[in-house]
Amino acid sequence: MGADMETEEEGAVMRWPASETVIISDLDGTLLDRQQQISPENAEAIAAFRKAGGTFVIATGRPWTSALPYARQLELEQPFIAGNGAQLYCPRKSAVLHTSRLSIQPEHSRWLYEQHLQDKGLGLLLYDGEQMLTPSRNDLIVRHERKDNVPSKAVELTKWQEAALSAVKLLAIAATPEMAEVLDYQWSRLRPGSTTVFSESNYLEILPDGCCKGNALQQLVALQGWQHKQLIAVGDQMNDAELLEVATLGIATGNAVAELQDRADAVTISHDRHAIAHIIKERIAAF
């Protein structure tokens, strides 16, 4: 994080011109409300920020296909971060600019496949870069499809194992946070060379080794030439931790998990109270 911690602790608030600032926002629990929508307040503030010369970027754990409608709604053309840092997608070019791959060996992907079929409290989604694959569309999977508006395809074991050899990420949805933690522990013992992170309390993400939103932001900074920009990153879950650390100023929403709030430079209001609009009004000069 940046050098503004002392100022934040003293109660002062740093304000930067829009033209010198890039705001990087998570989607779920941050930019989006409980209905998975961008509030008019957030949309209007972002439009005004961009009109004044600011840059707004999405950084999400969702696949780019699920994030793209929100980018289109905000008329964003620059690249955004998807798949918890596994992909960079550019709406203007309609192209994936970068993809990191996760290689899950057949014995490990078989174990995951069998866990899904044996346990009704577990739903697995394997993203191959084009579509979501699952051993079966159980209740957890169907509810997730409705929430993120991303359909999945049930496949047989051989197809699952083939896709797992070069997947972008695997999402494990557990019925409870405790079950997700157990799976994280079991997976860590297998040690197949991957990174795990929680994007929600019961959502365990298995990613390519070293993959995170923070590393993706560093790639994006280099790609876009933002080395001299002020970076404000906003998030609510631990998959946003590295994103907030890389930014000049890392802000946790009021609804963020306690650990992220403790690690952030500042804590703002809840996402349901239009946190992004509040940050723009509070942190950007002339707003």
Side-chain angles (χ1 to χ4, degrees):
M1 298 184 187
D4 301 312
M5 280 299 292
E6 183 177 352
T7 303
E8 292 290 321
E9 291 170 358
E10 292 172 352
V13 174
M14 291 293 295
R15 293 170 66 87
W16 296 301
S19 59
E20 298 177 7
T21 308
V22 180
I23 297 177
I24 310 98
S25 175
D26 172 50
L27 281 180
D28 298 276
T30 304
L31 174 62
L32 305 183
D33 60 24
R34 295 180 189 274
Q35 287 71 47
Q36 310 300 308
Q37 301 295 317
I38 301 173
S39 70
E41 291 86 349
N42 279 341
E44 290 170 8
I46 292 168
F49 168 66
R50 295 181 61 234
K51 186 176 180 179
T55 301
F56 189 85
V57 177
I58 290 169
T60 181
R62 296 185 182 214
W64 67 263
T65 51
S66 177
L68 184 58
Y70 297 110
R72 297 290 192 206
Q73 179 183 345
L74 296 173
E75 299 182 347
L76 305 179
E77 295 187 345
Q78 70 282 335
F80 62 79
I81 298 167
N84 274 317
Q87 289 190 307
L88 296 178
Y89 182 85
C90 181
R92 181 173 61 83
K93 296 181 178 180
S94 298
V96 175
L97 305 182
H98 171 79
T99 299
S100 296
R101 293 284 178 178
L102 170 69
S103 183
I104 303 176
Q105 296 306 303
E107 62 271 25
H108 298 132
S109 57
R110 173 187 285 272
W111 179 82
L112 288 165
Y113 191 94
E114 292 173 348
Q115 290 293 310
H116 173 107
L117 294 180
Q118 294 169 7
D119 189 346
K120 293 183 179 179
L122 179 66
L124 299 181
L125 287 166
L126 186 69
Y127 180 52
D128 67 1
E130 296 182 359
Q131 59 183 341
M132 285 289 196
L133 307 178
T134 183
S136 67
R137 296 181 64 253
N138 62 21
D139 289 343
L140 289 169
I141 297 299
V142 171
R143 285 200 296 268
H144 176 76
E145 290 177 342
R146 292 171 181 166
K147 170 180 170 290
D148 281 11
N149 194 29
V150 177
S152 63
K153 178 181 179 182
V155 295
E156 295 181 349
L157 176 61
T158 53
K159 175 64 176 177
W160 173 268
Q161 290 177 304
E162 179 184 349
L165 288 171
S166 60
V168 175
K169 74 167 191 173
L170 185 139
L171 171 61
I173 306 169
T176 66
E178 292 75 18
M179 293 176 65
E181 291 173 2
V182 169
L183 180 62
D184 186 28
Y185 173 76
Q186 293 173 321
W187 185 253
S188 68
R189 291 177 63 86
L190 292 177
R191 299 187 183 278
S194 59
T195 294
T196 60
V197 67
F198 286 92
S199 55
E200 294 185 24
S201 61
N202 63 322
Y203 275 41
L204 176 67
E205 309 248 357
I206 300 176
L207 306 167
D209 191 28
C211 184
C212 66
K213 291 183 182 181
N215 288 343
L217 177 57
Q218 290 178 323
Q219 291 179 321
L220 201 52
V221 166
L223 181 68
Q224 299 294 103
W226 292 339
Q227 290 85 350
H228 301 295
K229 296 280 190 178
Q230 306 294 339
L231 308 176
I232 300 177
V234 194
D236 72 308
Q237 294 287 341
M238 289 311 298
N239 63 322
D240 299 311
E242 293 85 357
L243 182 72
L244 270 59
E245 290 171 357
V246 168
T248 315
L249 180 65
I251 302 177
T253 56
N255 56 285
V257 294
E259 185 177 354
L260 189 70
Q261 292 193 23
D262 290 341
R263 293 171 63 171
D265 293 323
V267 178
T268 188
I269 60 177
S270 170
H271 70 127
D272 268 342
R273 295 175 59 197
H274 326 296
I276 297 302
H278 180 78
I279 289 169
I280 290 172
K281 292 174 183 176
E282 182 181 49
R283 301 284 176 174
I284 305 303
F287 274 81

